[in-house]
Amino acid sequence: MSLLPGLTDSNQATDLFVDANEVHKLVLKEETEWKVEIPSSSKLTITIRSGIAEIFGTELANDVEYTFSNWKISLSAVENVILEWKCPDIPNKDLMIEPNTTSKYVYNLHFGLEKMRNSSFNGPRILVVGNANSGKTTLCRTLCSYAIKFKSYQPLFINLNPHEGIFSPPGCLTATPISDILDVQSQTWGQSMTSGATELHSKQPIVKNFGLENISENRSLYWDNMNQLSNAVNERLQNDVIVQRSGCILNTPSLSDLDEEFNELVTIIDRFKVNIVVVLAEQDEFTLFEKVKETLRPYIGDFLIRLPKLSGRFEADDAYKRSLQRTAIKEYFYGTPKTILSPYASGADFEEITVWKPINMVEAQGTTSTSNPLQLLPVTVDASTLQHALVAISYADRKSSSSEVQKASILGFGLITEVNEKKRKIRILLPVPGRLPNKAMILTSYRYLE
Amino acid sequence: NAQTNAMTSQKNIQSRNWYLHDSQWVKFNDDEIVSTQNTFNENPKQTIADV
Ligand SMILES: Nc1ncnc2c1ncn2[C@@H]1O[C@H](COP(=O)(O)OP(=O)(O)OP(=O)(O)O)[C@@H](O)[C@H]1O
Ligand SMILES: [Mg+2]
């Protein structure tokens, strides 16, 4: 081992060398959790040596090395756990290990849902609401994981929060039967269908593309996508006995993204036939909880539960949420380190593509295009509009009218990597090998650069 | 031989499938994709996107 140039103290050099690759042992007592923030461009590996450890409800197998990056996670010890971890950028001191004060509420809720599943052909349909960072997504992920742990249920996970990409890129409303284990290493919960055999199970979601960054930019469009999704969900439930029996788990955007009178929650309850609502709120948010209760009581009666905000949660800032969105786009095209996907680069002439975009009602204020908020606007193909853009590829033919495109199903997504205005050609990254399908495309607000 | 060696050392290159059309998804059954179901089935049903 040679000293680094400039270092004269050999002890100092030893410390540097040892820390980078040192495997640390950690003992977690039952009912505690280790909250860890993994710095971006760093990797944390964890191997459980004994005991039961969970992340978002999914158990980690013993003696398997798991890798996490660019994430804030909390590892929960269900029983006493002995683990080994390694991360060059996390010092082995002042680790955030705290009692898990909310796990009992989550278990009780899960067992309540199990009882409902066991006693009816119509499984529970549970809506999770709360303010930003209250733990809604975490609760949903945990309930999904618990539902499939011991029995072969297939709860339908419905994501109504377009800010989060779950089994899809961001900007989507989705419904996915959770028919097998979730990928604990994936921020998007796992992969949607891929070719070939995968180590981990892939899911088959239905994906509606909202495409704008904020619901407030076009509420009518958000509701139209929601309606299309609920129609498909209700038809699937009629056709699929196992999913119907397992019920639905619905994730929502932060309450601040929805209207103050909670009318939108009422519409969701009606469309998706929700029969339980869980509000994640602290004791001192009593007025919030009371207001939700009063508004929703006529629709769900007393099936409204308050849970405290989950103890493992972090305050996630906008920069962190944007990095999660970025990862969701990356995972769609490139997969994860365990399931590497090879996207396909294709070329097309400007004349061969048709691109639409939804109206951003906030930007369009005062102009004539606000008359029909669901109308799609044609997009001029040039570098300023399309470079690095995530586009949704429709099932609708390229020559279809904008209203046909607006109602059509989504094939998938493409990423426009290059727009050559001189040659009038684009290069687009596709998830499936072959030519760019002769279909209409819809521009989203999302951009991705390597 | 060299070609066989190259093939056996090739990673399992995969790509994503297109999403199913709504009309296919509503009729889909996840038993098709849960591995234990197809262990003894010579010709497992495979629904792919109806592009
Ligand atoms: N029990 C937990 N274990 C690990 N991480 C957690 C836990 N609960 C919350 N987190 C983390 O805390 C943050 C906020 O939690 P979460 O995303 O579930 O809140 P949310 O209510 O869904 O937020 P939003 O309204 O933005 O969707 C996230 O970064 C999440 O990874
Ligand atoms: Mg959330």
mmCIF file of all heavy atoms in Angstrom, chain A residues 344-384:
data_model
loop_
_atom_site.group_PDB
_atom_site.id
_atom_site.type_symbol
_atom_site.label_atom_id
_atom_site.label_comp_id
_atom_site.label_asym_id
_atom_site.label_seq_id
_atom_site.Cartn_x
_atom_site.Cartn_y
_atom_site.Cartn_z
ATOM 1 N N TYR A 344 -33.360 0.675 -27.448
ATOM 2 C CA TYR A 344 -32.995 0.637 -28.857
ATOM 3 C C TYR A 344 -33.049 2.041 -29.447
ATOM 4 O O TYR A 344 -34.028 2.741 -29.303
ATOM 5 C CB TYR A 344 -33.985 -0.290 -29.568
ATOM 6 C CG TYR A 344 -33.640 -0.559 -31.002
ATOM 7 C CD1 TYR A 344 -32.660 -1.490 -31.337
ATOM 8 C CD2 TYR A 344 -34.307 0.110 -32.023
ATOM 9 C CE1 TYR A 344 -32.345 -1.741 -32.653
ATOM 10 C CE2 TYR A 344 -33.986 -0.138 -33.337
ATOM 11 C CZ TYR A 344 -33.009 -1.059 -33.649
ATOM 12 O OH TYR A 344 -32.709 -1.299 -34.958
ATOM 13 N N ALA A 345 -31.973 2.459 -30.103
ATOM 14 C CA ALA A 345 -31.952 3.796 -30.694
ATOM 15 C C ALA A 345 -32.444 3.715 -32.130
ATOM 16 O O ALA A 345 -31.961 2.897 -32.915
ATOM 17 C CB ALA A 345 -30.542 4.366 -30.656
ATOM 18 N N SER A 346 -33.399 4.555 -32.451
ATOM 19 C CA SER A 346 -33.964 4.552 -33.808
ATOM 20 C C SER A 346 -33.911 5.953 -34.392
ATOM 21 O O SER A 346 -33.806 6.931 -33.651
ATOM 22 C CB SER A 346 -35.411 4.052 -33.732
ATOM 23 O OG SER A 346 -35.959 3.933 -35.015
ATOM 24 N N GLY A 347 -33.962 6.047 -35.694
ATOM 25 C CA GLY A 347 -33.953 7.368 -36.328
ATOM 26 C C GLY A 347 -35.246 7.578 -37.095
ATOM 27 O O GLY A 347 -35.908 6.616 -37.487
ATOM 28 N N ALA A 348 -35.629 8.833 -37.285
ATOM 29 C CA ALA A 348 -36.809 9.141 -38.107
ATOM 30 C C ALA A 348 -36.657 10.535 -38.678
ATOM 31 O O ALA A 348 -36.016 11.407 -38.078
ATOM 32 C CB ALA A 348 -38.086 9.041 -37.269
ATOM 33 N N ASP A 349 -37.269 10.749 -39.862
ATOM 34 C CA ASP A 349 -37.274 12.097 -40.442
ATOM 35 C C ASP A 349 -38.348 12.929 -39.758
ATOM 36 O O ASP A 349 -39.346 12.400 -39.276
ATOM 37 C CB ASP A 349 -37.595 12.027 -41.947
ATOM 38 C CG ASP A 349 -36.523 11.279 -42.725
ATOM 39 O OD1 ASP A 349 -35.360 11.259 -42.267
ATOM 40 O OD2 ASP A 349 -36.873 10.702 -43.776
ATOM 41 N N PHE A 350 -38.138 14.224 -39.768
ATOM 42 C CA PHE A 350 -39.162 15.142 -39.241
ATOM 43 C C PHE A 350 -40.531 14.833 -39.849
ATOM 44 O O PHE A 350 -41.549 14.862 -39.178
ATOM 45 C CB PHE A 350 -38.804 16.596 -39.565
ATOM 46 C CG PHE A 350 -37.774 17.198 -38.646
ATOM 47 C CD1 PHE A 350 -36.935 16.420 -37.870
ATOM 48 C CD2 PHE A 350 -37.650 18.582 -38.560
ATOM 49 C CE1 PHE A 350 -35.982 16.996 -37.034
ATOM 50 C CE2 PHE A 350 -36.703 19.177 -37.715
ATOM 51 C CZ PHE A 350 -35.869 18.381 -36.952
ATOM 52 N N GLU A 351 -40.534 14.529 -41.153
ATOM 53 C CA GLU A 351 -41.798 14.311 -41.871
ATOM 54 C C GLU A 351 -42.495 13.016 -41.449
ATOM 55 O O GLU A 351 -43.654 12.807 -41.767
ATOM 56 C CB GLU A 351 -41.559 14.257 -43.389
ATOM 57 C CG GLU A 351 -41.327 15.617 -44.038
ATOM 58 C CD GLU A 351 -40.001 16.233 -43.643
ATOM 59 O OE1 GLU A 351 -38.983 15.479 -43.592
ATOM 60 O OE2 GLU A 351 -39.962 17.442 -43.370
ATOM 61 N N GLU A 352 -41.752 12.136 -40.774
ATOM 62 C CA GLU A 352 -42.322 10.833 -40.429
ATOM 63 C C GLU A 352 -42.979 10.828 -39.049
ATOM 64 O O GLU A 352 -43.513 9.810 -38.622
ATOM 65 C CB GLU A 352 -41.217 9.756 -40.438
ATOM 66 C CG GLU A 352 -40.684 9.444 -41.824
ATOM 67 C CD GLU A 352 -39.494 8.497 -41.760
ATOM 68 O OE1 GLU A 352 -38.611 8.693 -40.890
ATOM 69 O OE2 GLU A 352 -39.450 7.577 -42.582
ATOM 70 N N ILE A 353 -42.881 11.932 -38.322
ATOM 71 C CA ILE A 353 -43.442 11.920 -36.966
ATOM 72 C C ILE A 353 -44.508 12.989 -36.777
ATOM 73 O O ILE A 353 -44.494 14.037 -37.417
ATOM 74 C CB ILE A 353 -42.346 12.095 -35.889
ATOM 75 C CG1 ILE A 353 -41.643 13.447 -36.019
ATOM 76 C CG2 ILE A 353 -41.342 10.957 -35.951
ATOM 77 C CD1 ILE A 353 -40.684 13.728 -34.870
ATOM 78 N N THR A 354 -45.471 12.675 -35.905
ATOM 79 C CA THR A 354 -46.520 13.629 -35.529
ATOM 80 C C THR A 354 -46.511 13.723 -34.005
ATOM 81 O O THR A 354 -46.641 12.708 -33.318
ATOM 82 C CB THR A 354 -47.909 13.139 -35.995
ATOM 83 O OG1 THR A 354 -47.867 12.926 -37.393
ATOM 84 C CG2 THR A 354 -48.981 14.169 -35.658
ATOM 85 N N VAL A 355 -46.329 14.944 -33.507
ATOM 86 C CA VAL A 355 -46.248 15.136 -32.057
ATOM 87 C C VAL A 355 -47.330 16.100 -31.595
ATOM 88 O O VAL A 355 -47.526 17.161 -32.191
ATOM 89 C CB VAL A 355 -44.855 15.682 -31.650
ATOM 90 C CG1 VAL A 355 -44.730 15.729 -30.128
ATOM 91 C CG2 VAL A 355 -43.737 14.836 -32.242
ATOM 92 N N TRP A 356 -48.020 15.707 -30.519
ATOM 93 C CA TRP A 356 -49.033 16.567 -29.887
ATOM 94 C C TRP A 356 -48.566 16.922 -28.479
ATOM 95 O O TRP A 356 -47.661 16.305 -27.943
ATOM 96 C CB TRP A 356 -50.372 15.821 -29.782
ATOM 97 C CG TRP A 356 -50.927 15.345 -31.070
ATOM 98 C CD1 TRP A 356 -50.732 14.114 -31.644
ATOM 99 C CD2 TRP A 356 -51.775 16.073 -31.962
ATOM 100 N NE1 TRP A 356 -51.416 14.029 -32.835
ATOM 101 C CE2 TRP A 356 -52.066 15.219 -33.054
ATOM 102 C CE3 TRP A 356 -52.329 17.364 -31.949
ATOM 103 C CZ2 TRP A 356 -52.871 15.613 -34.115
ATOM 104 C CZ3 TRP A 356 -53.128 17.752 -33.003
ATOM 105 C CH2 TRP A 356 -53.400 16.880 -34.072
ATOM 106 N N LYS A 357 -49.238 17.904 -27.889
ATOM 107 C CA LYS A 357 -48.988 18.164 -26.472
ATOM 108 C C LYS A 357 -50.263 18.638 -25.794
ATOM 109 O O LYS A 357 -51.135 19.227 -26.436
ATOM 110 C CB LYS A 357 -47.863 19.191 -26.285
ATOM 111 C CG LYS A 357 -48.247 20.598 -26.626
ATOM 112 C CD LYS A 357 -47.145 21.578 -26.237
ATOM 113 C CE LYS A 357 -47.613 22.993 -26.575
ATOM 114 N NZ LYS A 357 -46.559 23.981 -26.380
ATOM 115 N N PRO A 358 -50.393 18.366 -24.473
ATOM 116 C CA PRO A 358 -51.585 18.832 -23.756
ATOM 117 C C PRO A 358 -51.470 20.328 -23.496
ATOM 118 O O PRO A 358 -50.369 20.887 -23.512
ATOM 119 C CB PRO A 358 -51.520 18.056 -22.432
ATOM 120 C CG PRO A 358 -50.075 17.770 -22.228
ATOM 121 C CD PRO A 358 -49.445 17.665 -23.581
ATOM 122 N N ILE A 359 -52.602 20.985 -23.257
ATOM 123 C CA ILE A 359 -52.587 22.424 -22.963
ATOM 124 C C ILE A 359 -52.167 22.633 -21.511
ATOM 125 O O ILE A 359 -52.710 22.006 -20.608
ATOM 126 C CB ILE A 359 -53.976 23.057 -23.171
ATOM 127 C CG1 ILE A 359 -54.442 22.846 -24.611
ATOM 128 C CG2 ILE A 359 -53.926 24.556 -22.852
ATOM 129 C CD1 ILE A 359 -55.865 23.320 -24.845
ATOM 130 N N ASN A 360 -51.215 23.502 -21.317
ATOM 131 C CA ASN A 360 -50.859 23.939 -19.969
ATOM 132 C C ASN A 360 -51.738 25.152 -19.688
ATOM 133 O O ASN A 360 -51.482 26.242 -20.182
ATOM 134 C CB ASN A 360 -49.370 24.283 -19.915
ATOM 135 C CG ASN A 360 -48.937 24.699 -18.527
ATOM 136 O OD1 ASN A 360 -49.710 25.265 -17.765
ATOM 137 N ND2 ASN A 360 -47.689 24.416 -18.193
ATOM 138 N N MET A 361 -52.819 24.930 -18.905
ATOM 139 C CA MET A 361 -53.821 25.977 -18.705
ATOM 140 C C MET A 361 -53.245 27.195 -17.994
ATOM 141 O O MET A 361 -53.728 28.314 -18.171
ATOM 142 C CB MET A 361 -55.008 25.430 -17.891
ATOM 143 C CG MET A 361 -55.710 24.255 -18.526
ATOM 144 S SD MET A 361 -56.511 24.659 -20.080
ATOM 145 C CE MET A 361 -57.987 25.464 -19.471
ATOM 146 N N VAL A 362 -52.223 26.975 -17.204
ATOM 147 C CA VAL A 362 -51.609 28.094 -16.481
ATOM 148 C C VAL A 362 -50.888 29.013 -17.466
ATOM 149 O O VAL A 362 -51.027 30.227 -17.440
ATOM 150 C CB VAL A 362 -50.645 27.564 -15.404
ATOM 151 C CG1 VAL A 362 -49.811 28.677 -14.813
ATOM 152 C CG2 VAL A 362 -51.422 26.834 -14.325
ATOM 153 N N GLU A 363 -50.148 28.405 -18.394
ATOM 154 C CA GLU A 363 -49.430 29.194 -19.402
ATOM 155 C C GLU A 363 -50.371 29.799 -20.429
ATOM 156 O O GLU A 363 -50.124 30.863 -20.975
ATOM 157 C CB GLU A 363 -48.444 28.302 -20.165
ATOM 158 C CG GLU A 363 -47.133 28.085 -19.436
ATOM 159 C CD GLU A 363 -46.233 27.102 -20.181
ATOM 160 O OE1 GLU A 363 -46.565 26.724 -21.326
ATOM 161 O OE2 GLU A 363 -45.220 26.711 -19.589
ATOM 162 N N ALA A 364 -51.486 29.082 -20.710
ATOM 163 C CA ALA A 364 -52.351 29.494 -21.808
ATOM 164 C C ALA A 364 -53.412 30.500 -21.387
ATOM 165 O O ALA A 364 -54.291 30.830 -22.172
ATOM 166 C CB ALA A 364 -53.027 28.256 -22.408
ATOM 167 N N GLN A 365 -53.358 30.959 -20.149
ATOM 168 C CA GLN A 365 -54.388 31.881 -19.661
ATOM 169 C C GLN A 365 -54.552 33.080 -20.573
ATOM 170 O O GLN A 365 -53.582 33.748 -20.914
ATOM 171 C CB GLN A 365 -54.025 32.377 -18.259
ATOM 172 C CG GLN A 365 -54.807 31.655 -17.185
ATOM 173 C CD GLN A 365 -54.224 31.890 -15.817
ATOM 174 O OE1 GLN A 365 -53.523 32.865 -15.596
ATOM 175 N NE2 GLN A 365 -54.509 30.995 -14.905
ATOM 176 N N GLY A 366 -55.796 33.331 -20.959
ATOM 177 C CA GLY A 366 -56.051 34.501 -21.781
ATOM 178 C C GLY A 366 -56.044 34.205 -23.265
ATOM 179 O O GLY A 366 -56.494 35.009 -24.062
ATOM 180 N N THR A 367 -55.544 33.051 -23.675
ATOM 181 C CA THR A 367 -55.546 32.744 -25.108
ATOM 182 C C THR A 367 -56.759 31.884 -25.459
ATOM 183 O O THR A 367 -57.401 31.336 -24.585
ATOM 184 C CB THR A 367 -54.264 31.977 -25.515
ATOM 185 O OG1 THR A 367 -54.317 30.683 -24.912
ATOM 186 C CG2 THR A 367 -53.017 32.698 -25.031
ATOM 187 N N THR A 368 -57.033 31.749 -26.732
ATOM 188 C CA THR A 368 -58.237 31.032 -27.168
ATOM 189 C C THR A 368 -58.169 29.534 -26.908
ATOM 190 O O THR A 368 -59.185 28.864 -26.842
ATOM 191 C CB THR A 368 -58.490 31.237 -28.683
ATOM 192 O OG1 THR A 368 -57.256 30.955 -29.367
ATOM 193 C CG2 THR A 368 -58.897 32.663 -28.970
ATOM 194 N N SER A 369 -56.983 28.998 -26.757
ATOM 195 C CA SER A 369 -56.878 27.534 -26.633
ATOM 196 C C SER A 369 -57.412 27.010 -25.304
ATOM 197 O O SER A 369 -57.426 25.827 -25.070
ATOM 198 C CB SER A 369 -55.437 27.074 -26.840
ATOM 199 O OG SER A 369 -54.588 27.750 -25.950
ATOM 200 N N THR A 370 -57.867 27.893 -24.407
ATOM 201 C CA THR A 370 -58.385 27.398 -23.134
ATOM 202 C C THR A 370 -59.831 26.925 -23.249
ATOM 203 O O THR A 370 -60.418 26.460 -22.300
ATOM 204 C CB THR A 370 -58.308 28.468 -22.030
ATOM 205 O OG1 THR A 370 -58.941 29.645 -22.532
ATOM 206 C CG2 THR A 370 -56.880 28.769 -21.651
ATOM 207 N N SER A 371 -60.455 27.058 -24.421
ATOM 208 C CA SER A 371 -61.875 26.718 -24.540
ATOM 209 C C SER A 371 -62.126 25.231 -24.313
ATOM 210 O O SER A 371 -63.076 24.867 -23.632
ATOM 211 C CB SER A 371 -62.414 27.139 -25.910
ATOM 212 O OG SER A 371 -61.579 26.597 -26.920
ATOM 213 N N ASN A 372 -61.292 24.349 -24.858
ATOM 214 C CA ASN A 372 -61.424 22.928 -24.574
ATOM 215 C C ASN A 372 -60.129 22.430 -23.936
ATOM 216 O O ASN A 372 -59.148 22.180 -24.625
ATOM 217 C CB ASN A 372 -61.716 22.131 -25.844
ATOM 218 C CG ASN A 372 -61.753 20.630 -25.581
ATOM 219 O OD1 ASN A 372 -61.754 20.183 -24.428
ATOM 220 N ND2 ASN A 372 -61.784 19.835 -26.648
ATOM 221 N N PRO A 373 -60.131 22.298 -22.619
ATOM 222 C CA PRO A 373 -58.889 21.935 -21.925
ATOM 223 C C PRO A 373 -58.351 20.554 -22.301
ATOM 224 O O PRO A 373 -57.169 20.277 -22.088
ATOM 225 C CB PRO A 373 -59.263 21.981 -20.440
ATOM 226 C CG PRO A 373 -60.733 22.074 -20.381
ATOM 227 C CD PRO A 373 -61.250 22.490 -21.683
ATOM 228 N N LEU A 374 -59.219 19.677 -22.875
ATOM 229 C CA LEU A 374 -58.750 18.332 -23.220
ATOM 230 C C LEU A 374 -58.116 18.279 -24.608
ATOM 231 O O LEU A 374 -57.549 17.273 -25.013
ATOM 232 C CB LEU A 374 -59.907 17.320 -23.163
ATOM 233 C CG LEU A 374 -60.604 17.198 -21.810
ATOM 234 C CD1 LEU A 374 -61.659 16.102 -21.880
ATOM 235 C CD2 LEU A 374 -59.609 16.880 -20.700
ATOM 236 N N GLN A 375 -58.251 19.376 -25.311
ATOM 237 C CA GLN A 375 -57.714 19.426 -26.678
ATOM 238 C C GLN A 375 -56.204 19.254 -26.676
ATOM 239 O O GLN A 375 -55.506 19.830 -25.857
ATOM 240 C CB GLN A 375 -58.061 20.806 -27.257
ATOM 241 C CG GLN A 375 -57.443 21.129 -28.591
ATOM 242 C CD GLN A 375 -58.456 20.966 -29.702
ATOM 243 O OE1 GLN A 375 -59.625 21.297 -29.518
ATOM 244 N NE2 GLN A 375 -58.029 20.441 -30.818
ATOM 245 N N LEU A 376 -55.702 18.491 -27.618
ATOM 246 C CA LEU A 376 -54.248 18.384 -27.779
ATOM 247 C C LEU A 376 -53.812 19.387 -28.839
ATOM 248 O O LEU A 376 -54.500 19.585 -29.841
ATOM 249 C CB LEU A 376 -53.849 16.973 -28.218
ATOM 250 C CG LEU A 376 -54.007 15.867 -27.174
ATOM 251 C CD1 LEU A 376 -53.723 14.512 -27.805
ATOM 252 C CD2 LEU A 376 -53.069 16.098 -25.995
ATOM 253 N N LEU A 377 -52.675 20.019 -28.605
ATOM 254 C CA LEU A 377 -52.164 20.998 -29.561
ATOM 255 C C LEU A 377 -51.037 20.379 -30.383
ATOM 256 O O LEU A 377 -50.234 19.603 -29.859
ATOM 257 C CB LEU A 377 -51.602 22.218 -28.824
ATOM 258 C CG LEU A 377 -52.546 22.955 -27.878
ATOM 259 C CD1 LEU A 377 -51.796 24.055 -27.141
ATOM 260 C CD2 LEU A 377 -53.731 23.527 -28.647
ATOM 261 N N PRO A 378 -50.971 20.724 -31.681
ATOM 262 C CA PRO A 378 -49.865 20.177 -32.488
ATOM 263 C C PRO A 378 -48.539 20.809 -32.066
ATOM 264 O O PRO A 378 -48.500 21.966 -31.657
ATOM 265 C CB PRO A 378 -50.227 20.583 -33.920
ATOM 266 C CG PRO A 378 -51.190 21.704 -33.786
ATOM 267 C CD PRO A 378 -51.860 21.597 -32.456
ATOM 268 N N VAL A 379 -47.474 20.018 -32.150
ATOM 269 C CA VAL A 379 -46.143 20.489 -31.761
ATOM 270 C C VAL A 379 -45.261 20.591 -32.997
ATOM 271 O O VAL A 379 -45.174 19.655 -33.792
ATOM 272 C CB VAL A 379 -45.490 19.508 -30.753
ATOM 273 C CG1 VAL A 379 -44.034 19.894 -30.488
ATOM 274 C CG2 VAL A 379 -46.281 19.469 -29.460
ATOM 275 N N THR A 380 -44.626 21.761 -33.179
ATOM 276 C CA THR A 380 -43.660 21.916 -34.272
ATOM 277 C C THR A 380 -42.405 21.135 -33.924
ATOM 278 O O THR A 380 -41.883 21.258 -32.806
ATOM 279 C CB THR A 380 -43.257 23.403 -34.422
ATOM 280 O OG1 THR A 380 -44.438 24.184 -34.348
ATOM 281 C CG2 THR A 380 -42.542 23.642 -35.735
ATOM 282 N N VAL A 381 -41.957 20.334 -34.892
ATOM 283 C CA VAL A 381 -40.790 19.510 -34.611
ATOM 284 C C VAL A 381 -39.522 20.343 -34.758
ATOM 285 O O VAL A 381 -39.121 20.708 -35.865
ATOM 286 C CB VAL A 381 -40.737 18.309 -35.590
ATOM 287 C CG1 VAL A 381 -39.496 17.466 -35.331
ATOM 288 C CG2 VAL A 381 -41.987 17.451 -35.419
ATOM 289 N N ASP A 382 -38.923 20.704 -33.630
ATOM 290 C CA ASP A 382 -37.618 21.366 -33.683
ATOM 291 C C ASP A 382 -36.870 21.104 -32.384
ATOM 292 O O ASP A 382 -37.425 20.560 -31.439
ATOM 293 C CB ASP A 382 -37.739 22.866 -33.983
ATOM 294 C CG ASP A 382 -38.482 23.631 -32.915
ATOM 295 O OD1 ASP A 382 -38.288 23.346 -31.714
ATOM 296 O OD2 ASP A 382 -39.282 24.527 -33.267
ATOM 297 N N ALA A 383 -35.604 21.483 -32.354
ATOM 298 C CA ALA A 383 -34.742 21.155 -31.214
ATOM 299 C C ALA A 383 -35.250 21.791 -29.924
ATOM 300 O O ALA A 383 -35.188 21.175 -28.862
ATOM 301 C CB ALA A 383 -33.308 21.586 -31.493
ATOM 302 N N SER A 384 -35.772 23.006 -30.003
ATOM 303 C CA SER A 384 -36.165 23.676 -28.762
ATOM 304 C C SER A 384 -37.328 22.967 -28.091
ATOM 305 O O SER A 384 -37.455 22.981 -26.881
ATOM 306 C CB SER A 384 -36.517 25.144 -29.029
ATOM 307 O OG SER A 384 -37.631 25.219 -29.893
#
